[in-house]
C-alpha cells in the first residue's frame, strides 16, 4: 500500500484528475461486486428468458437495433 501511495504522490495530476482519482478511491465497491448467489440468480434468470424466447413467449430485437441504441 505504501508503494502505491508513493506512486500516486509522484504523479503530475491536474485538479480534475485528482478529483476523479479521489472519487474512484472512495467509490463503494458493493455495487460492482458479485457474489456466488447473485451470479447464480442472474444466470437462472437469463436461462429462463432464453427458454421463453425459444418457446415464443418472449420477443427479441435484432442486434442492429440494440447497437443503434448505443
Amino acid at each position: 500500500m505504501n508503494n502505491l501511495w508513493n506512486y500516486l504522490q509522484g504523479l503530475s495530476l491536474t485538479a480534475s484528475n485528482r478529483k476523479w482519482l479521489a472519487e474512484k478511491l472512495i467509490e463503494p465497491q458493493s455495487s460492482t461486486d458479485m457474489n456466488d448467489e447473485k451470479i447464480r440468480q442472474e444466470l437462472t434468470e437469463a436461462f429462463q428468458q432464453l427458454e421463453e424466447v425459444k418457446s415464443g413467449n418472449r420477443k427479441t430485437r435484432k442486434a442492429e437495433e440494440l447497437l443503434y441504441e448505443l
Side-chain angles (χ1 to χ4, degrees):
M1 293 301 281
N2 285 331
N3 288 338
L4 177 58
W5 179 246
N6 290 333
Y7 172 75
L8 292 173
Q9 286 180 316
L11 295 175
S12 299
L13 299 175
T14 63
S16 63
N17 286 342
R18 284 185 189 138
K19 182 180 178 187
W20 178 89
L21 180 58
E23 289 171 356
K24 292 298 179 186
L25 289 173
I26 62 171
E27 185 176 88
Q29 295 298 313
S30 62
S31 63
T32 58
D33 289 345
M34 294 185 73
N35 60 28
D36 290 344
E37 183 59 31
K38 177 86 170 159
I39 294 169
R40 197 173 298 115
Q41 288 173 349
E42 291 189 5
L43 282 173
T44 299
E45 181 181 346
F47 285 120
Q48 287 173 345
Q49 290 176 358
L50 182 58
E51 288 300 318
E52 291 173 7
V53 169
K54 287 181 180 180
S55 66
N57 295 330
R58 179 181 283 269
K59 296 194 181 235
T60 60
R61 295 187 287 171
K62 293 181 180 181
E64 291 85 11
E65 292 175 17
L66 296 172
L67 288 174
Y68 288 125
E69 284 184 20
L70 300 175

